Amino acid sequence: MTRFAGESPGATDPLVGRHLLVTGGAGFIGSAYVRNVLARHDGTRITVLDKLTYAGNRANLAPIGANVDEAARFRFVEGDIAEPGDVEPLVAEADAVINFAAESHVDRSILDPEAFLRTGVIGVHVLLEAVRREASRAEAGDRERAPRLLQVSTDEVYGSVAEGYSKEADALAPRSPYAAAKAAGELLARSYAVTHGTDVVITRGSNTYGPYQHPEKLIPLFVTNAIDGQPLPLYGDGLQERDWLHVDDHAGAIDFVLRHGAAGEVYNVPGDAQLPNREVVRRLLDRLGKPWSLVRTVADRPGHDRRYALDGSRLAGLGWRRGVAFDSGLDATVDWYRDNESWWRAVRSGDWHAWYERQYAERLAGSVEG
Ligand code: NAD
Ligand code: DAU
């Protein structure tokens, strides 16, 4: 039986064997969550609701089909969290809702912010209303108990942190349209906890890496470009710092908070490797045996956050422990992309080319040696 890091075998677990609604479950972190929870073989059933945007990918959930027991406890529904008609009947059946659905790429939010607001604000509102309605039904005795909603948020809501570590009570200061939409979504969720007593918990995770991540993000973009001998577009001086968290640990922390977190509370989920981008790139090139000369310094991301860093003591105090060390996790991730070319070549096709051109053509034309 697979266990998430930090999970103790005998823990009381009101959600084991229950029915979870996982929104955005065909994306990077959501699909890891679904694969890992089903692989526990504890009877938990999962419905995924996903709009299948450019970032949603049924192939991320394909391993489930290979196991008869997991497949029997899994259902996929294509739909939009901002559509009450898609959401309400599914929330009515669920014991808990875990909301991963979002537009997740900062660079796209700079070019086209509208979808970020629709999913990140309206979508969260639709989920909250559906959960609130089910809570009323529970109060009226029409269902056993109210569903809990876990809203997956991000360390980016704190904005750029020059020094020290962000704590959950710190002020929010988002600086990109992506981060602003995420902050709005979680503030709305907290307002429902306060105003309506809705059972909401929130996680703020740090930069996540691992298999099945869309190649628009730093690590998979640079690994796949390097495999093809293409230039690696490093923004600005490349000294921006991120704290890297393995996807299985992020998914595990979300599951842990879902089951053990206090209602209305927020939990930071830090990684274990606070590194400047240049250092991450050096390590992945070393693993691939590719030269630094592939790196090109390109025009910076507007409003680029310099540093994120989380204080993880609240989650550690609840008993959660990380399982994957960055060095081994990065090596395994690089190897996964090297061994799963068909997965990422399919993603890097069609609309990908127009995106790449729009985001990088001018930058690369004006680039200098990294
Ligand atoms: P992703 O872009 O890989 O996946 C997002 C998924 O949501 C896709 O499957 C997409 O089809 C789906 N989706 C988008 N809009 C939808 C809608 N309106 N209705 C239903 N489904 C919709 O994102 P990810 O990297 O897996 O991130 C998942 C969550 O975690 C997001 O909320 C993100 O803000 C948060 N997060 C991500 C990171 C990270 O480093 N990737 C870190 C912290 C928090
Ligand atoms: O911190 C959590 C956040 O991490 C999540 O909330 C977001 O959903 C997720 O996308 C991620 O945001 P970042 O902007 O930090 O991730 P990204 O992979 O886009 O970039 C990581 C760093 O690498 C950042 O400093 C920008 C830099 N970068 C990125 C790309 C795509 C480059 O230098 N060149 C690039 O081409």
Side-chain angles (χ1 to χ4, degrees), residues 38 43-46 64-65 67-75:
L38 289 174
T44 304
R45 288 166 295 133
I46 292 185
I64 295 161
N67 181 296
V68 176
D69 172 59
E70 291 174 23
R73 291 180 286 111
F74 174 71
R75 173 172 63 149

Side-chain angles (χ1 to χ4, degrees), residues 104 154-156 178 207 218 233 235 242 277 301 304 360:
S104 68
T154 169
D155 61 1
E156 299 208 10
Y178 161 71
N207 274 71
L218 176 76
Y235 296 157
R242 299 291 185 266
N277 293 336
R301 171 185 283 176
H304 198 165
Y360 294 109

Side-chain angles (χ1 to χ4, degrees), residues 103-107 153-156 178 182 205-208 213 216-219 221-222 233-236 238 240-242 244 277 298 301 304-305 308 359-360:
E103 291 290 333
S104 68
H105 192 32
V106 173
D107 290 326
S153 191
T154 169
D155 61 1
E156 299 208 10
Y178 161 71
K182 293 299 294 183
S206 64
N207 274 71
T208 305
Q213 185 170 31
E216 67 191 355
K217 307 286 167 50
L218 176 76
I219 289 177
L221 178 70
F222 279 29
L234 190 64
Y235 296 157
Q240 305 83 5
E241 280 181 28
R242 299 291 185 266
W244 294 96
N277 293 336
V298 301
R301 171 185 283 176
H304 198 165
D305 286 342
Y308 306 128
Q359 178 64 16
Y360 294 109

Side-chain angles (χ1 to χ4, degrees), residues 178-253:
Y178 161 71
K182 293 299 294 183
E186 68 158 90
L187 288 174
L188 199 57
R190 291 175 80 184
S191 80
Y192 269 62
V194 173
T195 306
H196 300 298
T198 309
D199 184 1
V200 169
V201 277
I202 293 161
T203 56
R204 294 184 186 143
S206 64
N207 274 71
T208 305
Y209 71 98
Y212 298 100
Q213 185 170 31
H214 193 285
E216 67 191 355
K217 307 286 167 50
L218 176 76
I219 289 177
L221 178 70
F222 279 29
V223 170
T224 56
N225 275 13
I227 289 171
D228 279 349
Q230 295 295 314
L232 313 186
L234 190 64
Y235 296 157
D237 63 9
L239 294 175
Q240 305 83 5
E241 280 181 28
R242 299 291 185 266
D243 181 13
W244 294 96
L245 170 67
H246 192 271
V247 67
D248 287 339
D249 280 335
H250 195 166

Side-chain angles (χ1 to χ4, degrees), residues 120-169:
V121 185
I122 306 298
V124 173
H125 178 245
V126 168
L127 289 174
L128 285 163
E129 275 299 312
V131 168
R132 179 160 89 100
R133 202 175 73 166
E134 290 309 306
S136 304
R137 287 187 55 225
E139 225 172 83
D142 292 340
R143 58 177 282 162
E144 195 187 330
R145 59 178 146 173
R148 161 166 276 198
L149 172 68
L150 187 143
Q151 170 63 14
V152 178
S153 191
T154 169
D155 61 1
E156 299 208 10
V157 297
Y158 295 113
S160 193
V161 184
E163 54 190 31
Y165 295 86
S166 302
K167 285 187 166 253
E168 288 86 348

